[in-house]
Amino acid sequence: QVQLVESGGGLVQAGGSLRLSCVASGRTFSTYAMGWFRQAPGKEREFVGGISWGGGTINYADSVRGRFTISRDNAKNTVYLQMNSLKPEDTAVYYCAADKLGPGFRDREYDYWGQGTQVTVSS
């Protein structure tokens, strides 16, 4: 079992930055690929980005590439999502998830999920 807890969400003006963190319980964190997803009101959950267990493979959605950066610190059981140049359309609940394989692009490929953290970008 892996338990995930996100933090770092909040309200920010357009053009601002936030850094989300996701802390995992358990000793097997370093064996999991990690992903970030988001879900806006009335929309389906969508892939934001993913990072392999060792950090050698990182994927991003086209909508965030160049603005968002995923990183991980296996010693701290933590994965990060640095979000810069935020736009109102980035407003959503952001979730981190763990994938034994991957990092996958689809939410059904992920085995464990956090509870989410709200990000609101005002115009």
Side-chain angles (χ1 to χ4, degrees):
Q1 285 282 350
V2 177
Q3 293 184 329
L4 305 172
V5 179
E6 303 97 333
S7 63
L11 174 65
V12 64
Q13 288 187 333
S17 299
L18 282 175
R19 187 175 82 156
L20 306 184
S21 299
C22 172
V23 179
S25 64
R27 300 179 179 178
T28 59
F29 172 77
S30 62
T31 66
Y32 282 82
M34 299 297 295
W36 285 96
F37 289 77
R38 66 187 182 186
Q39 187 167 21
K43 296 186 177 181
E44 293 186 353
R45 188 162 54 189
E46 65 173 358
F47 174 78
V48 173
I51 184 169
S52 60
W53 66 269
T57 298
I58 302 176
N59 300 314
Y60 295 100
D62 290 343
S63 58
V64 307
R65 186 176 291 111
R67 299 187 298 122
F68 290 11
T69 302
I70 295 174
S71 61
R72 67 188 295 163
D73 184 340
N74 287 341
K76 296 182 178 180
N77 279 14
T78 303
V79 62
Y80 304 97
L81 181 66
Q82 176 67 44
M83 305 185 294
N84 299 327
S85 301
L86 282 160
K87 305 175 181 180
E89 52 263 44
D90 294 318
T91 295
V93 177
Y94 283 71
Y95 300 89
C96 70
D99 178 4
K100 191 60 176 175
L101 305 173
F105 291 88
R106 298 169 294 185
D107 56 5
R108 62 178 178 269
E109 298 179 74
Y110 287 77
D111 304 296
Y112 302 101
W113 291 82
Q115 82 291 346
T117 186
Q118 176 71 47
V119 171
T120 302
V121 184
S122 63
S123 58

